[in-house]
Amino acid sequence: MTLALMDRKADFPILTRTINGHRLTYLDSAATSQKPRSVIAAMNRFYEETNANVLRSVHTLAEESTEAFHRARVSTAEFIGAAGSEEVVFTRGTTESLNMVARGWGDKFLKPGDEVVVSPMEHHSNLIPWQRLCQRTGARLRFIELNDDGSLAMDHARAVINERTRLAALSRISNVLGTINPIREIADLVHTVGGIMVVDGAQSVPHEPTAVAELGADFLAFSGHKMCGPTGIGVLWGRAELLDASDPVDFGGEMISYVNRESATWADLPHKFEAGTPNIAGAIGLAAAIEYLNEVGMANIAQHGRQLGETAYQRLSQLPGVAVFGPPSPRAALVAFNIDKIHPHDVAQVFDSRGVAIRAGHHCCQPLMHWLHAAATARASFYLYNQPDDIDALVDAVEATKRYFTI
Amino acid sequence: MNLDDLYRETILDHNQSPRNQGHLEHPSKTVGLLNPTCGDQIQLELLVAGGQVADIRFNGHGCSISMASASMLTEAVKGHSVEHALRIAQSFKKFLMGESSPVDLGDLAMLKGVSQFPSRVKCATLAHNALEKGLAEG
């Protein structure tokens, strides 16, 4: 197999670790990615040379820090094709971003009888904020059902989306099924009836080129830590007019314009959504991650990930006693699977004894687990630093697990 | 780390041939517990009479450690006083933290290796927490 990317493991210090006497085979990037040396160095450099609070003082460090923070916002905006950096709100991650839309836009505009559309494959972070929003406003939560292979049932989508639909919230890539959802088609349906399209990009922004206009998104949420950046930094992108119309959800310093004893007015975008001292080092780490990803090339990363995901799916599906979930192709850089009669936690434990790190559990997708009739699954997920020998280690670990539990 | 310290033969045996699995016809108490981090579910059905755990069944789904631990627990408490059953559940949890147990834990002692695998302690104690909850509620 010729892959889109050469071996990049040397860029990631942690991948030289041995675990239980074996080379680390890291197959849990859908949970969090590893960090290249350049990202770690950029954050260290910030703390060693530049650290100061932003958007306040006039001393040199503060000016440099503010400038670096702003540049991070500009490169994030460019990375997703935003119309301007004021459309990029820094958050703690995808979860906070989605909650911000639900409270800032949803609470303001939803009325009883309105409808919010999601799917059963959503991560809890793209489900519970909408459940709560509907409970608060009297709106109705509706689901686009799935085809047997885990893809969105588009006929059903056309039936569910109607003139009462105010908002649809869907993941571009499922963190369990590996499906790549046709967001553009859904967005067109939603826009025709005057609703807005919220995209959970937690699994897609790290793995494919993103252009918010082409995607048809009105809001896009994603996390830095799944795309080679640090934890604790994420993004809410929104069309400027929608962000302007939304209410801030946190209040305090930096998000205000004028404050008197009784009331206050808000700062301009994006600051009205960023109360308090922001995660400055996190934003700088995210910018370094974006620089790294651009250097590797997002188109290459997407092709590489699909090659690995599809190959792993194929090889696992050929093993006796192994069930794989979701469509074979096209598929993103992950595969969820189960071994007959062996609980995924036991699977992950045997894998770990061989240095192979995978995820086991419900993947924050309990409704999807019900749909799959599985209490839990194992999941191997890949990123730009994985190579075919990692799939070999995965297959070997499956065989070893079967031998250990003698099935 | 040695995998065999975790998966002792007795544990695999309880997992493959669970004791007291299923349902009681007339339980005096049914208690369910969920491990939200992994989705493991357990339900205990108890028949408590005259201060004794006269009969007990468990059902649910989970990893080999949680199912084996449930099976072992039912064997350890069946036919004993409520007080003794509670002591077993409590002693077992301390046992996994490295303390010695003042009561005979039976096969449960085979789960000692779990203490080397902190993320699996929740699995091993799920049934014990359910039992405590069930007996505490009276």
Side-chain angles (χ1 to χ4, degrees):
Chain A
M1 179 173 47
T2 315
L3 284 171
L5 297 177
M6 58 168 196
D7 195 342
R8 315 272 323 196
K9 283 194 174 68
D11 297 343
F12 294 81
I14 205 170
L15 297 179
T16 60
R17 257 197 81 166
T18 54
I19 303 283
N20 298 316
H22 297 264
R23 166 180 85 82
L24 167 61
T25 302
Y26 188 73
L27 301 179
D28 198 17
S29 295
T32 196
S33 70
Q34 295 304 346
K35 323 303 174 197
R37 193 172 278 106
S38 61
V39 167
I40 301 164
M43 294 178 74
N44 280 339
R45 202 159 51 240
F46 171 75
Y47 278 127
E48 287 174 1
E49 297 173 10
T50 317
N51 178 52
N53 211 330
V54 291
L55 301 160
R56 287 172 174 79
S57 312
V58 295
H59 58 78
T60 301
L61 294 182
E63 296 286 11
E64 288 178 6
S65 186
T66 301
E67 174 60 19
F69 186 58
H70 176 66
R71 278 202 315 271
R73 200 187 302 276
V74 171
S75 47
T76 305
E78 286 169 356
F79 187 68
I80 57 171
S85 67
E86 72 282 1
E87 294 185 333
V88 169
V89 177
F90 284 129
T91 63
R92 283 183 291 136
T94 305
T95 301
E96 186 180 27
S97 301
L98 292 167
N99 276 285
M100 204 176 261
V101 178
R103 290 192 287 148
W105 190 88
D107 278 343
K108 189 167 175 185
F109 293 110
L110 258 61
K111 302 180 303 296
D114 287 344
E115 293 182 358
V116 173
V117 173
V118 295
S119 89
M121 75 172 81
E122 301 313 313
H123 190 282
H124 295 161
S125 63
N126 195 33
L127 174 63
I128 303 167
W130 312 120
Q131 290 177 346
R132 298 290 297 164
L133 172 63
C134 289
Q135 288 161 10
R136 288 194 301 271
T137 60
R140 180 179 173 207
L141 190 62
R142 301 199 62 184
F143 288 81
I144 302 172
E145 294 304 332
L146 308 181
N147 295 316
D148 289 347
D149 68 355
S151 56
L152 283 179
M154 289 305 290
D155 284 348
H156 193 243
R158 280 182 277 276
V160 167
I161 295 167
N162 63 58
E163 69 285 351
R164 291 182 298 278
T165 305
R166 300 302 309 278
L167 179 153
L170 293 170
S171 51
R172 163 69 174 162
I173 288 176
S174 158
N175 68 319
V176 175
L177 298 168
T179 43
I180 303 163
N181 290 322
I183 294 298
R184 184 55 198 245
E185 285 176 54
I186 301 281
D188 287 346
L189 294 172
V190 172
H191 290 152
T192 304
V193 297
I196 65 163
M197 183 76 224
V198 180
V199 181
D200 172 356
Q203 297 296 337
S204 68
V205 174
H207 286 274
E208 63 175 14
T210 299
V212 286
E214 282 173 40
L215 203 56
D218 296 296
F219 286 105
L220 172 71
F222 58 99
S223 300
H225 71 95
K226 293 190 204 287
M227 51 188 283
C228 294
T231 51
I233 187 83
V235 172
L236 171 64
W237 167 86
R239 284 200 292 115
E241 96 184 64
L242 292 173
L243 287 174
D244 265 329
S246 302
D247 282 337
V249 297
D250 289 317
F251 304 90
E254 212 150 280
M255 55 78 64
I256 48 84
S257 170
Y258 183 78
V259 182
N260 63 30
R261 284 195 176 201
E262 311 301 333
S263 62
T265 56
W266 315 140
D268 290 336
L269 294 182
H271 306 292
K272 95 175 180 190
F273 295 104
E274 295 181 1
T277 295
N279 183 355
I280 309 164
I284 283 159
L286 174 61
I290 286 172
E291 193 181 336
Y292 180 80
L293 294 176
N294 281 334
E295 183 192 309
V296 178
M298 287 309 297
N300 295 332
I301 291 171
Q303 195 193 342
H304 187 79
R306 287 184 194 187
Q307 286 173 320
L308 290 172
E310 287 171 11
T311 306
Y313 182 97
Q314 239 170 34
R315 289 190 57 189
L316 289 179
S317 63
Q318 284 160 6
L319 300 176
V322 175
V324 289
F325 300 103
S329 174
R331 114 176 331 267
L334 62 91
V335 54
F337 64 97
N338 269 336
I339 304 178
D340 197 23
K341 295 189 177 67
I342 309 177
H343 192 278
H345 277 175
D346 296 316
V347 173
Q349 195 80 62
V350 180
F351 274 44
D352 181 65
S353 73
R354 304 168 61 86
V356 181
I358 59 164
R359 171 84 191 269
H362 53 58
H363 314 288
C364 300
C365 288
Q366 289 183 17
L368 180 61
M369 293 294 118
H370 298 151
W371 184 84
L372 291 170
H373 302 293
T377 79
R379 178 188 69 191
S381 54
F382 307 95
Y383 206 15
L384 56 97
Y385 36 71
N386 291 114
Q387 286 287 325
D389 58 344
D390 296 321
I391 299 179
D392 295 338
L394 167 68
V395 170
D396 290 347
V398 170
E399 294 297 2
T401 306
K402 287 161 65 179
R403 278 197 305 278
Y404 193 82
F405 289 99
T406 58
I407 70 159
Chain B
M1 184 203 87
N2 188 348
L3 210 52
D4 296 336
D5 290 344
L6 180 64
Y7 295 114
R8 306 287 294 271
E9 227 167 88
T10 318
I11 297 170
L12 297 179
D13 176 55
H14 273 271
N15 181 47
Q16 269 152 21
S17 324
R19 331 290 199 252
N20 301 310
Q21 191 181 35
H23 298 276
L24 289 178
E25 229 162 85
H26 301 292
S28 56
K29 181 82 197 173
T30 300
V31 59
L33 215 56
L34 184 73
N35 180 350
T37 57
C38 59
D40 285 4
Q41 264 178 349
I42 193 145
Q43 200 172 43
L44 290 181
E45 297 179 1
L46 297 156
L47 183 63
V48 179
Q52 304 281 311
V53 181
D55 209 349
I56 182 167
R57 294 282 188 282
F58 83 97
N59 52 77
H61 53 77
C63 65
S64 60
I65 300 298
S66 70
M67 293 295 108
S69 181
S71 167
M72 291 167 169
L73 177 66
T74 59
E75 276 197 324
V77 302
K78 193 169 164 177
H80 289 280
S81 68
V82 166
E83 197 182 315
H84 183 76
L86 279 170
R87 273 182 74 198
I88 285 185
Q90 286 154 3
S91 305
F92 176 71
K93 290 198 280 184
K94 287 185 182 166
F95 173 71
L96 287 191
M97 307 306 286
E99 292 180 33
S100 56
S101 173
V103 287
D104 180 14
L105 293 172
D107 282 357
L108 284 167
M110 289 293 152
L111 286 160
K112 191 176 190 352
V114 172
S115 57
Q116 293 172 50
F117 300 82
S119 68
R120 304 303 293 275
V121 170
K122 289 191 304 285
C123 314
T125 54
L126 185 63
H128 301 256
N129 289 329
L131 182 72
E132 279 189 275
K133 192 175 163 215
L135 293 178
E137 286 169 1

